Amino acid sequence: MICIPVMEPTQREALRAAAKSAVLADVIELRMDWIADGDVSELISAARRASAGVKVIVTCRRREEFLLAQENLPALPAKERTGAAKMKLLEKAVLSGADFIDIELAEGARAISRMRSLCHKRPNPARLIVSWHDPFKTPSLNGLKKIFDACVQAGADIVKMVPYARSLSDNAAVLSLMDYAKDQGREIIAMCMGEKGQISRILAPSRGSFLGFAVLPGGRPSAPGQLTLREMRAFQKLLSGRQRFFEPPQGDLHFVLLGNPVRQSLSPLMHQAAFRTMGINASYSAFCVTDLAAAVAGIRAMNIQGASVTIPFKTAVMDFLDEIDADAAAVGAVNTIVNDHGRLIGHNTDWSALMDALREETQLKGKKFIILGAGGTARAAAYGITKEGGRPIIVNRTPEKGRKLADRFDCPFYPLMEIGKVRAFGLINTTPVGMFPDSHSSPVDSSILNGFRIVADVIYNPLKTGLIRDAEAKGCRVVPGLEMFVRQGARQLNLWTGRKAPLAVMRNAVRERLMRHEF
Ligand code: NAP
């Protein structure tokens, strides 16, 4: 199992991180020593709401047991909780349904024994982790065994031991300690901190460590040397022999599109054209879905190798998958499912496709882009622009929705009526305004387009929207929606087959069909 620590400086940020991590990890650890104004019951409820199956560890670590010399750490709360306050907090965590309570060996026999009684008194008992950390060194194997024995004696259901690796051989001592625990039929969480300890983090879960720890990309590590969730999952697969470096699927392949409605979708046409060119014997069919749970169960039962997901299921589908790629989790939407030997993994290719299309025309780093709209596609655009080092500015018709998205990406917001006041390098329309049959409408007055060097539209039917025509007339560089559409499909094909998709073939197939529709 993989655990993501939540160690944000405020309750608000911690609630967000707990919900996000709960979807991705098997276990989350609430580090109440960092969450200054933390309400532990509220945090546990937020994690459970995000994922019913996630397990929650609650701990409130002593300062001397972790390194203060790490980079990237938020400011510690000015005051460390007293021993009594810590006990009160952990007691509240037990009563609020935490699955595990982690208390340090250094808290002393009385405190540990009290906590153990409380954990075990509950009808569905919480399990007690007795932990020990040394942020400076790794003792000898004998020294580690003595500490392990002390944790067991103190009443641990699970022992956690994390010393700092100064040399690679320190990893060997910790891995041997796991054999010692196994011989006694005891559960242990063990690994080394620090750059030189990374190998123990990779090997620990496969050597019997009850948990491995990982950090979300862009998240804060709770200990030096921690790997990202993606790295940990990749190593786990590799060590369990499930990793496909490139193992092309064999035999007839089947892919589906899940949406409602799907009648107008051009994805089947585009993907079938690509499969023909790639010489892959595959079917791609669109399904108008009314019961999403049943549709995903069907993918598993019929061993469908992959699926595209479209409106209105891009967010809802996340609850039915086994794993969500970190980018898709950050966007909050999945438009692609990969069936990796029975494990359904959700990805999002919308944001990267839009960035690919924009990058064909300009560099994005340091540039301001107005994002028109505040729905799912706007979120994908804001995520992509931020990730590329650009600066999004949200402009939306409904201020509450626009402000909420702007808060999420910590960027400015303007109501649609005030768009004329905003200066930016580019404009990206993510609203449906201008979509066939309303092909002559534009979401903004053409007079404001003089101010932009580049204008992108996500609408691809018609091929040239009113906005794109107006922008061309003003001399702006343009990125029509077709470019995003074919690239999100090409990235899907790449995820499903491991091969590069024939972009030009896909573009021509869609363009020809749209031209026939229009004229
Ligand atoms: P969504 O979640 O419903 O969001 C739509 C946004 O557009 C909302 O913020 C809404 O504003 C705004 N909007 C709607 N009608 C408006 C109007 N008349 N005037 C001003 N603003 C208006 O939709 P979505 O999932 O983001 O999809 C948006 C579009 O992107 C769709 O047309 C979809 O087909 C297209 N798309 C294209 C691609 C591609 O590959 N090219 C990929 C994905 C999506 P309020 O907040 O005020 O309601």
Side-chain angles (χ1 to χ4, degrees), residues 311 314 350 373-378 396-398 401 416 430-433 435 458-460 481-482 484-486 488:
I311 291 172
K314 288 185 184 180
D350 281 337
T377 313
N396 195 46
R397 178 180 63 177
T398 310
K401 279 169 75 180
L416 183 54
T430 72
T431 77
V433 181
M435 192 160 68
V458 299
I459 293 171
Y460 57 89
L482 177 67
M484 174 183 176
F485 182 65
V486 294
Q488 60 80 33

Side-chain angles (χ1 to χ4, degrees), residues 403-421:
R403 252 182 228 117
K404 199 166 160 206
L405 181 65
D407 282 353
R408 161 76 181 79
F409 288 96
D410 199 16
C411 67
F413 163 76
Y414 292 86
L416 183 54
M417 279 175 356
E418 293 179 20
I419 191 167
K421 292 184 189 165

Side-chain angles (χ1 to χ4, degrees), residues 45-296:
S45 303
R48 298 247 187 271
R49 267 199 309 280
S51 163
V54 73
K55 303 274 182 230
V56 181
I57 302 176
V58 177
T59 190
C60 188
R61 296 254 302 269
R62 300 159 76 88
R63 288 191 183 183
E64 61 267 33
E65 292 218 10
F66 58 90
L67 267 187
L68 289 176
Q70 288 176 68
E71 289 174 3
N72 236 352
L73 289 179
L76 263 170
K79 267 171 67 181
E80 188 176 6
R81 285 184 174 87
T82 60
K86 270 189 200 177
M87 288 303 282
K88 220 167 138 193
L89 186 143
L90 294 179
E91 282 171 21
K92 189 172 173 194
V94 176
L95 299 176
S96 307
D99 300 283
F100 304 92
I101 298 295
D102 177 336
I103 185 166
E104 283 142 320
L105 183 63
E107 294 293 349
R110 268 184 61 195
I112 296 173
S113 158
R114 209 174 107 207
M115 195 48 62
R116 181 181 162 87
S117 313
L118 196 71
C119 287
H120 289 196
K121 219 162 53 191
R122 224 176 52 184
N124 61 331
R127 301 187 73 198
L128 189 69
I129 302 172
V130 177
S131 62
W132 166 89
H133 311 80
D134 187 332
F136 302 110
K137 62 178 189 313
T138 299
S140 65
L141 179 57
N142 268 344
L144 288 171
K145 285 179 181 173
K146 279 187 190 140
I147 299 164
F148 176 86
D149 292 341
C151 292
V152 172
Q153 258 174 18
D157 293 319
I158 301 167
V159 174
K160 180 181 176 198
M161 292 180 60
V162 189
Y164 185 85
R166 287 188 181 167
S167 68
L168 286 175
S169 61
D170 288 341
N171 292 281
V174 166
L175 293 172
S176 300
L177 178 69
M178 280 194 253
D179 294 337
Y180 179 70
K182 222 186 294 170
D183 289 346
Q184 301 186 24
R186 294 272 171 194
E187 283 176 304
I188 185 168
I189 301 166
M191 67 209 76
C192 291
M193 290 184 246
E195 289 294 310
K196 290 189 176 136
Q198 276 190 334
I199 189 71
S200 68
R201 289 184 179 277
I202 293 165
L203 293 176
S206 63
R207 286 287 294 263
S209 178
F210 184 72
L211 282 183
F213 282 80
V215 61
L216 290 175
R220 295 185 186 104
S222 65
Q226 225 163 50
L227 291 116
T228 65
L229 182 63
R230 192 185 295 191
E231 288 167 333
M232 279 297 276
R233 292 258 193 244
F235 281 123
Q236 273 197 327
K237 271 193 202 166
L238 187 63
L239 292 169
S240 66
R242 285 201 296 119
Q243 175 78 357
R244 291 182 304 174
F245 279 115
F246 173 54
E247 178 193 310
Q250 303 292 315
D252 286 359
L253 302 176
H254 302 286
F255 299 92
V256 293
L257 166 70
L258 307 181
N260 189 349
V262 291
R263 206 156 40 89
Q264 305 289 341
S265 173
L266 294 174
S267 292
L269 171 93
M270 176 173 74
H271 283 306
Q272 283 155 5
F275 284 135
R276 273 196 303 278
T277 304
M278 294 163 89
I280 294 177
N281 193 10
S283 70
Y284 183 104
S285 329
F287 285 91
C288 186
V289 170
T290 48
D291 181 343
L292 183 60
V296 177

